[in-house]
Amino acid sequence: MISSNNKTFKFAVMLLFLLQLSFNVEMYAGKKKDYPVTSFGAVADGKTLNTKAIQKAIDAANKNGGGRVVFSKGKFLTGSIVIKSGVNLFFEEDAVLLGSTNPEDYPKFGEIRALIISNASKNIAITGKGIIDGQGRELALAVDSLHHTGVKIDPNYNYRRLRSSDGRGKLVSFVKCDSITMKNITLKNSSGWVQCFDQSKNIVIDAIKVDSRAYWNNDGIDIDGCENVRITNCDVNSADDGICLKSETPGLQNNNIYIANCTVRSSANALKFGTGSYGSFKNVTIENIQVFDTFRSAIAIESVDGAEIENIKVSNITAVNTGNAILIRLGHRNGDKPGYIKNVSIKDVKAQIPFGRPDIDYDMRGPEVDYFHNPFPASIAGIPGYSIENVTLENIEITYPGRATKGMAYLPLSRLKDVLENIKGYPEFTMFGELPSWGFYVRHVNGIQMKNIKLILEKEDFRPAFVFDDVKDLVMENINVPSDKIQQIIFKEVLSANLDTESLKKVNEPKQNTFELPKK
């Protein structure tokens, strides 16, 4: 016989259980539902084309208010799929999304051609510990063969480099989206740009890995006309620019960008503003970046299509085996008038420049310069009538290889006027041809502070460390250059210079008629 006390106790326990169950149901109802792609007919054998099945899972998640479209362990082959609002593509460990190698599986979605597409969506994500493999080289060669067999002619086919531009597409392309998350995923082997975020906002890219050296134009991360972007803890290894801010559309801006704690290896530039530079780049902070085996510049800030670039802060950059440390270029390739570059701070940089090309181990390498040159210095260069303004360089150490010879494209200091302006040229650290300095070449700049600059030569270089041409408001403090020769700093049309005593000793002597010390 059960006592009333026991009945009361059991009732209380049952009531507590029911309340807890009710609470759990309510909590579960608040979570986003999972939509396994295998439940919609997808087969993880690496051979079955799963485009329709995966799209059904995405559509179902979107229709029901959002959820995770889950890829379990295995290889899922697909053509283009479209992410919609509220959908997170989630990859379990050892899950692989394989891009089809058939160009017909990549129809255009509006103007977008990519493996994973989203347009005007909100709250979308790609997360998990899986891999998205575009099989880009195989796809690109298939596109190429269509051109040569006459099946699909590319009117812009590049016969010099034997590659097609149309039909290759990107791995990931998000346009006009809001609230994007990319986390932990590995992206590899794109046929074009790996991932592009265009005219979007509120983007978080964290702890992803990019390994894409499959074909040409394999930019690692492209941000084009976006606002409120965080790129952190990423490992990028790409056959083209590593992390690249672009502005391909006039009137749009990249604003409030934060890039930190990343490693970049590139057969082009590691961190780049441009080349497309029609809109603006404002309020960008880049810090704690490791760069290695990179063919072009570790840091490239370029406005050549009218872009406005201002309030840029770069700090704590380590670059090893890199073709160039710093390039800041204001040119006028397109647009009614040049843009501007101002208020740029670059601090705490340590770089090592090799004598040979640093990307020699890539099978897809950036194009060589057209003819031999002595090693190139870092360059900060505007154009006549349009100066770069307010640049601060502080705590910079660059090791150069030296080994320059007067027998190779010799440009004496008496011919500084012959250094190419190349106003309309493609921005690159090699764009001016032979340069008359081995450390820094600075031209058409208004307001530049250089503090705690150490330049090291591994071998002899006959050129001076610094050349300043058409520069105003120059400040130099604690400049450390090899002491085996004087006249390491050359002035041409330099006004309002303020140098400390030790730096002043390294300036060319005033008795030389071609160059005169500025009046303080």
Side-chain angles (χ1 to χ4, degrees), residues 33 36 102 243 295 307 313 317 322 374 390 403 446 464 466:
K33 183 180 176 182
N102 183 353
I243 301 176
F295 177 44
K313 296 181 179 179
I317 310 296
T322 300
N374 287 311
N390 300 329
R403 296 176 60 183
N446 184 1
F466 298 86

Side-chain angles (χ1 to χ4, degrees), residues 328 344 380 388-393 440-443 445-451 468 471-476 494 496-498:
I328 305 178
V344 176
I380 304 172
I388 296 169
E389 301 180 36
N390 300 329
V391 175
T392 298
L393 302 177
F440 276 91
Y441 177 73
V442 181
R443 179 168 59 175
V445 177
N446 184 1
I448 179 168
Q449 298 185 45
M450 306 184 80
K451 299 179 180 181
F468 296 93
V471 174
K472 299 177 182 178
D473 296 332
L474 168 66
V475 175
M476 300 186 79
V494 176
S496 304
N498 187 348

Side-chain angles (χ1 to χ4, degrees), residues 273 281-285 309-313 340-345:
F273 294 63
F281 305 79
K282 298 182 179 181
N283 307 313
V284 179
T285 298
I309 300 180
E310 63 179 308
N311 299 336
I312 312 301
K313 296 181 179 179
Y340 63 75
I341 301 176
K342 65 181 181 181
N343 302 335
V344 176
S345 171

Side-chain angles (χ1 to χ4, degrees), residues 194-210:
V194 177
Q195 54 193 318
C196 182
F197 305 88
D198 184 5
Q199 302 175 54
S200 298
K201 60 184 178 180
N202 303 320
I203 303 168
V204 174
I205 303 172
D206 182 55
I208 72 167
K209 182 177 181 180
V210 174

Side-chain angles (χ1 to χ4, degrees), residues 32 49 122 135 140 286 360 365 388 429 448-449 470:
K32 298 295 185 182
L49 189 66
K122 293 183 178 181
Q135 301 193 98
I286 302 173
I360 194 64
R365 293 180 292 276
I388 296 169
F429 75 97
I448 179 168
Q449 298 185 45
D470 183 25

